[in-house]
Amino acid sequence: MANADTHATPPKTPSSGPDPILLTLFANRFMSVAEAMGRSLQQTSISTNIKERLDFSCALFAPDGDLVANAPFIPIHLGSMSFAVKYQMRLHGKTLKEGDVLMTNSPHAGGSHLPDITIITPVFDSNTNEIIFFTASRGHHADIGGILPGSMPPTSVNIFEEGANIESFKIVDGGVFDRKGLVEYMIEKPSQYPGSSGCRNLRDVESDLKAQIAANHKGVQLIHQIIEDYGLQTVQEYMYHIRANAEMSVRNLLKDVAKRAGSNILTAVDYLDDGSPINLKVEINETAGSAVLDFAGTGCEVRGNLNSPISVVHSAVIYCMRAMLDIDIPLNAGCLVPLDIRIPPKSLLSPSRTAAVCGGNVLTSQRIVDVVLKAFHACAASQGCTNNLTFGTGGKDKDGASVAGWGYYETIAGGSGAGPGWHGTDGVHTHITNTRIGDVEILERRYPVMVHRFGLRHGSAGLGKWHGGEGVVRDLEFLEPMQVSILSERRTRQPYGMEGGGPGAMGRNTWIKQPRREDGDLDAEGNRTTREINIGGKATVYMGKGDKLVIETPGGGAWGVDENARHGKKEAPEHARAWEPRGSFAERAAAQAAF
């Protein structure tokens, strides 16, 4: 990024080494800013997605747009938000002023998928009026329009079917909130496309966007406090020291990997359920501690929505690098400095501007992580999915007029992969997502849904010396007619094991359809019968009252040969661990106890 795109020229990293105590102190101070932003966002939001599921991220960025520090939020957000900040800097140049706040979600502008809306706030030096930092937050909003409630249509074939696509919008201009512009972007523009609706619940979306704006402002205040304590020069010097420390850590990791592997060439390939390959060749320069990650051989852009924006690919790679480091450092832009990521044009990892991408962010990203970790021989495959469930009402009536409604979205856990020395984990959101599922009590209270079963899917884990994690079963009954969609992977290909370990079980989505006379659901004697229908990995179904959807998520792959199986014995994996209270109420109680 050229300095002309910023208000302030980044200071050069001093030649003298950093004080190790101050380095740790500033790393934690910067992370604490992001953590405080996150607490503010959770406390002031109203949607289930942000308040209960914690599907949001907050981070701090340098004046050149590079990621400085973040709290442990959503990895898929954190690596790509830097692309969004830099895009807005190129677009607006030096026209930004105090009191401006930008909003964007376009994959072309550094976004992930359209429901993830990014709010960016520049931080100005009170003396020179130059930009010295950026604060940013990204949250997944339950509905932003498109062809289906929840804005995650399993069958979308272009970006316009997935909802509002906002390249850049100054949601706050000089301290004034632009609600008229928000209505235009969220309701009027997306509803112009055939079959698409505008945002079905603007009240909730607007409230959560204001919560993001407030969280960013909280970060601005805390940054100014740090500068007041230490001075701008020292703060920015240690900002770049932290980045240099992350860079050196990744260089040492690459050298160690090449030494252990006995080769500087690593390769891996895995496939999406539709057969599209994701191919990776890693070439390590052991002397410099750098690497080229070349995705040549990856499949072409797909007609569906499993295309993954370039920013998401970088997010997956930076996550893998940070996950393989055995030291405690903030995830930041320094992790990418030693890496040359090469993505073939016109591939599903570099799609066209109008390609559908809502599944690429949540599904293809998981497969990219599996491929990178497979190449580095780090662990077996995890469930490779986030099992995206959306349901709701609203859209357009027979005359094409928009009808108010609502949309709900959740992701569902599965099994994680085992590694050399550890078992996989049961029923966990794996790798790139790090979200949680909403509490059953809250779901049933807010929506016309009953959860009949939510527990581990026994027998789904891969068996080996170190076994994989179990998937889960989620059985929901719909108490009113509504549109229900599932967007999932690993329904035709098992999560692989490594070093002789067995694969995890594939997932399955089953519609339990109640008998309806108009559908001809009769047996040989003329009695109406319940039907069980496998709807596949990606489907939209109009559920009637009393219909159920049973989602069985994939297990994780195992690591190493199972000696019992080798001798004709087969024992189910045992997961002995103490019970821990979980859920939003337990989290709230723990937070109150911390104060």
Side-chain angles (χ1 to χ4, degrees):
M1 179 65 62
N3 290 336
D5 292 334
T6 67
H7 281 240
T9 301
K12 295 181 179 179
T13 303
S15 57
S16 58
D19 181 285
I21 295 177
L22 281 179
L23 186 67
T24 302
L25 185 148
F26 273 104
N28 284 280
R29 285 294 294 266
F30 289 145
M31 288 180 65
S32 71
V33 171
E35 289 171 352
M37 292 170 63
R39 285 196 299 271
S40 172
L41 178 53
Q42 183 187 11
Q43 290 167 358
T44 56
S45 62
I46 65 171
S47 71
T48 301
N49 267 0
I50 294 179
K51 183 172 288 293
E52 277 85 35
R53 288 189 53 250
L54 306 185
D55 197 346
F56 68 86
S57 296
C58 301
L60 178 62
F61 297 85
D64 61 359
D66 279 345
L67 176 64
V68 174
N70 56 269
F73 294 121
I74 313 300
I76 198 66
H77 292 170
L78 298 167
S80 60
M81 284 170 70
S82 178
F83 282 78
V85 174
K86 291 183 179 183
Y87 187 92
Q88 299 304 314
M89 291 164 61
R90 290 194 299 270
L91 201 61
H92 292 277
K94 296 188 176 183
T95 64
L96 292 175
K97 59 186 180 298
E98 188 80 39
D100 286 352
V101 180
L102 302 171
M103 169 177 158
T104 180
N105 71 341
S106 172
H108 176 71
S112 44
H113 59 181
L114 297 184
D116 285 342
I117 298 179
T118 305
I119 299 295
I120 301 168
T121 304
V123 183
F124 292 87
D125 186 345
S126 55
N127 296 319
T128 65
N129 204 35
E130 293 184 334
I131 293 179
I132 51 177
F133 283 96
F134 288 92
T135 60
S137 56
R138 177 173 288 180
H140 185 114
H141 295 260
D143 190 282
I144 56 162
I147 59 175
L148 290 176
S151 306
M152 290 285 288
T155 56
S156 57
V157 295
N158 62 62
I159 195 74
F160 309 111
E161 296 179 337
E162 298 179 351
N165 183 16
I166 305 165
E167 184 175 343
S168 183
F169 167 50
K170 194 175 287 187
I171 190 171
V172 180
D173 189 351
V176 179
F177 183 79
D178 186 0
R179 190 178 191 280
K180 182 179 179 181
L182 182 65
V183 171
E184 179 184 354
Y185 275 106
M186 297 299 295
I187 294 181
E188 296 174 7
K189 289 188 175 182
S191 64
Q192 295 174 357
Y193 296 98
S196 292
S197 166
C199 177
R200 296 168 177 84
N201 191 347
L202 183 63
R203 183 183 68 87
D204 283 9
V205 172
E206 180 182 359
S207 180
D208 282 352
L209 289 172
K210 289 180 177 179
Q212 287 182 248
I213 294 168
N216 284 13
H217 182 66
K218 178 70 172 180
V220 172
Q221 292 176 314
L222 293 174
I223 291 169
H224 280 302
Q225 182 61 58
I226 296 173
I227 293 172
E228 185 177 327
D229 292 343
Y230 294 95
L232 177 60
Q233 181 177 351
T234 300
V235 171
Q236 288 196 325
E237 283 180 358
Y238 274 87
M239 174 179 68
Y240 287 97
H241 279 312
I242 290 169
R243 186 166 66 180
N245 185 43
E247 175 188 345
M248 188 55 60
S249 299
V250 172
R251 291 190 186 277
N252 291 335
L253 169 69
L254 294 171
K255 293 176 182 178
D256 183 59
V257 167
K259 183 178 180 180
R260 285 188 286 107
S263 172
N264 66 335
I265 303 293
L266 312 174
T267 60
V269 64
D270 201 359
Y271 299 86
L272 299 174
D273 279 358
D274 67 1
S276 296
I278 297 179
N279 194 69
L280 175 62
K281 177 182 178 182
V282 182
E283 187 170 355
I284 300 175
N285 183 328
E286 193 171 353
T287 303
S290 60
V292 175
L293 284 79
D294 191 348
F295 286 91
T298 294
C300 62
E301 177 182 310
V302 298
R303 182 174 180 270
N305 56 35
L306 293 183
N307 302 293
S308 180
I310 290 176
S311 62
V312 170
V313 180
H314 283 73
S315 286
V317 172
I318 193 174
Y319 161 77
C320 291
M321 293 300 113
R322 176 61 188 86
M324 288 187 288
L325 290 175
D326 195 23
I327 55 176
D328 186 17
I329 61 170
L331 183 149
N332 62 64
C335 295
L336 285 177
V337 173
L339 307 177
D340 178 7
I341 302 173
R342 300 178 183 177
I343 302 171
K346 299 184 179 181
S347 69
L348 64 90
L349 304 183
S350 181
S352 59
R353 292 186 65 154
T354 59
V357 298
C358 70
N361 177 63
V362 293
L363 300 178
T364 308
S365 62
Q366 295 278 36
R367 201 59 50 85
I368 297 169
V369 169
D370 277 344
V371 169
V372 173
L373 296 179
K374 184 178 182 181
F376 280 84
H377 209 68
C379 64
S382 294
Q383 68 158 336
C385 187
T386 46
N387 307 288
N388 304 266
L389 175 67
T390 54
F391 53 81
T393 62
K396 291 189 174 183
D397 61 20
K398 62 181 180 179
D399 299 319
S402 295
V403 178
W406 53 270
Y408 173 80
Y409 169 75
E410 70 179 18
T411 56
I412 306 173
S416 72
W422 72 88
H423 297 297
T425 303
D426 298 336
V428 64
H429 280 79
T430 56
H431 291 313
I432 209 75
T433 168
N434 198 37
T435 53
R436 66 168 59 159
I437 201 164
D439 288 343
V440 171
E441 297 85 356
I442 293 174
L443 174 64
E444 293 183 337
R445 182 175 181 180
R446 293 187 182 180
Y447 302 99
V449 176
M450 181 179 294
V451 180
H452 284 271
R453 181 184 175 193
F454 182 42
L456 295 181
R457 181 189 177 195
H458 298 292
S460 60
L463 297 179
K465 180 178 181 181
W466 305 99
H467 52 73
E470 302 274 23
V472 305
V473 179
R474 192 158 173 86
D475 181 348
L476 302 101
E477 178 183 350
F478 300 94
L479 306 181
E480 295 178 4
M482 67 184 73
Q483 203 87 15
V484 181
S485 300
I486 184 72
L487 180 57
S488 58
E489 272 281 307
R490 293 289 192 198
R491 266 53 181 179
T492 65
R493 296 175 185 271
Q494 294 176 275
Y496 58 81
M498 294 195 74
E499 290 294 312
M506 294 182 290
R508 182 169 54 213
N509 307 316
T510 307
W511 175 19
I512 311 297
K513 185 176 182 294
Q514 294 301 310
R516 285 190 283 274
R517 182 179 291 107
E518 62 271 21
D519 293 338
D521 297 326
L522 306 176
D523 62 14
E525 286 75 33
N527 300 313
R528 290 184 291 173
T529 59
T530 298
R531 297 165 60 191
E532 295 187 7
I533 305 168
N534 185 337
I535 61 174
K538 301 165 184 67
T540 297
V541 177
Y542 188 79
M543 296 276 181
K545 181 179 179 180
D547 284 2
K548 295 181 182 180
L549 180 61
V550 180
I551 302 170
E552 299 169 274
T553 70
W559 182 284
V561 176
D562 181 2
E563 295 298 332
N564 288 325
R566 175 181 290 181
H567 294 93
K569 302 176 183 178
K570 186 174 182 180
E571 297 180 2
E574 295 182 2
H575 289 253
R577 58 171 63 91
W579 179 85
E580 295 181 6
R582 294 179 180 274
S584 59
F585 294 109
E587 291 290 335
R588 184 173 299 172
Q592 291 173 340
F595 292 101

